[in-house]
């Protein structure tokens, strides 16, 4: 019997692997999350200040739930929130300006665009599918330094996010931290946290990426 061919190693992209955060980096999920918090509050009879909750997006859901519910109720409230989320949060959510151009720029450079987010992974995929955002991989349920594990596994050299926790994730992975000042953290806070690059938003990302890939190629 003929010998089976040796398995080939997975191919690596010619361009960079760029990781992106989701909420307030690729999508403006505030309207949908606001609606979900209000629905949860009505369902449970527990007051939740939805305006305040959406002003501090970034950390995991359980962090915000702990502001409104006792510890023993958080597992059940997590399940209920995630059950309600597709009904209330997907349709109202909007793409951030420049998101499609940013993803296209990564692909045009021969790279891969992955999403690494603290959001529940099935919900993250629903958002991306609904808005037609072309990610090559989606990894959810990771926050701050834990994002660095997924970024390393996928060989990301750049991580784009809007929160100081995203800067920490990039640092953990040894990736370049590109911050967009479109979320709860100001440009100054992002710089102070150690971001390598701070952009006003994703609309500025394709031009930055073009410079980055040119410099990367020149170093080879």
């Amino acid at each position: 019997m003929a010998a089976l061919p040796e398995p080939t190693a997975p191919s690596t992209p010619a361009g960079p692997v760029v990781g992106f955060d989701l909420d307030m980096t690729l999508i403006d999920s505030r309207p949908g999350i606001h609606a979900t918090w209000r629905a949860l509050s009505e369902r449970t009879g527990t007051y939740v200040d939805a305006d305040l909750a959406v002003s501090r997006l970034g950390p995991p859901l359980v962090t915000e739930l702990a502001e409104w519910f006792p510890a023993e109720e958080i597992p059940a409230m997590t399940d209920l929130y995630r059950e309600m989320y597709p009904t209330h949060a997907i349709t109202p959510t909007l793409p951030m300006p420049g998101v499609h151009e940013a993803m296209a720029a990564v692909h045009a450079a021969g790279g891969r665009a992955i999403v690494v987010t603290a959001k529940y992974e099935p919900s993250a995929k629903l958002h991306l599918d609904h808005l037609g955002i072309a990610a090559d991989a989606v990894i959810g349920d990771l926050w701050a330094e834990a994002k660095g594990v997924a970024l390393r596994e996928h060989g990301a050299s750049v991580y784009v996010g809007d929160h100081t926790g995203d800067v920490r994730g990039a640092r953990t992975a040894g990736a370049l931290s590109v911050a967009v000042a479109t979320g709860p953290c100001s440009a100054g806070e992002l710089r102070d946290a150690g971001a390598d690059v701070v952009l006003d938003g994703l609309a500025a990302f394709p031009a930055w990426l073009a410079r980055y890939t040119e410099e990367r190629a020149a170093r080879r």
Side-chain angles (χ1 to χ4, degrees):
M1 186 172 65
L4 294 174
E6 290 293 326
T8 57
S11 61
T12 56
V17 177
V18 180
F20 292 89
D21 176 50
L22 185 63
D23 291 309
M24 304 312 299
T25 298
L26 296 179
I27 64 173
D28 184 351
S29 52
R30 290 173 298 183
I33 291 176
H34 190 280
T36 307
W37 280 118
R38 290 195 61 181
L40 183 70
S41 181
E42 292 170 6
R43 176 87 167 263
T44 61
T46 298
Y47 173 73
V48 175
D49 186 337
D51 291 335
L52 180 58
V54 299
S55 74
R56 51 193 184 196
L57 297 181
L61 171 62
V62 294
T63 302
E64 190 63 41
L65 282 168
E67 298 290 331
W68 312 104
F69 295 91
E72 64 272 15
E73 294 183 18
I74 288 178
M77 290 303 102
T78 298
D79 291 342
L80 181 57
Y81 180 98
R82 288 174 171 173
E83 175 189 319
M84 301 173 75
Y85 192 91
T87 299
H88 297 279
I90 303 303
T91 301
T93 292
L94 302 170
M96 295 297 284
V99 60
H100 296 292
E101 293 82 357
M103 305 297 271
V106 176
H107 292 140
R112 297 178 69 242
I114 66 172
V115 174
V116 182
T117 174
K119 190 178 290 297
Y120 183 49
E121 190 171 304
S123 297
K125 290 178 177 178
L126 286 175
H127 278 302
L128 296 170
D129 289 345
H130 179 72
L131 295 172
I133 298 172
D136 297 294
V138 182
I139 307 96
D141 303 290
L142 296 175
W143 164 241
E145 288 81 0
K147 291 184 174 186
V149 176
L151 292 168
R152 279 198 306 268
E153 287 177 350
H154 285 264
S157 59
V158 176
Y159 185 55
V160 185
D162 65 280
H163 199 283
T164 55
D166 298 325
V167 178
R168 285 152 48 200
R171 289 295 186 206
T172 300
L176 198 71
S177 172
V178 177
V180 286
T182 50
C185 301
S186 68
E189 289 172 320
L190 294 165
R191 289 190 188 94
D192 290 344
D196 297 294
V197 178
V198 179
L199 305 174
D200 291 338
L202 281 181
F205 179 77
W208 175 84
L209 182 66
R211 294 192 298 271
Y212 170 74
T213 53
E214 287 176 7
E215 294 169 1
R216 187 170 179 256
R219 291 196 297 269
R220 289 183 171 180

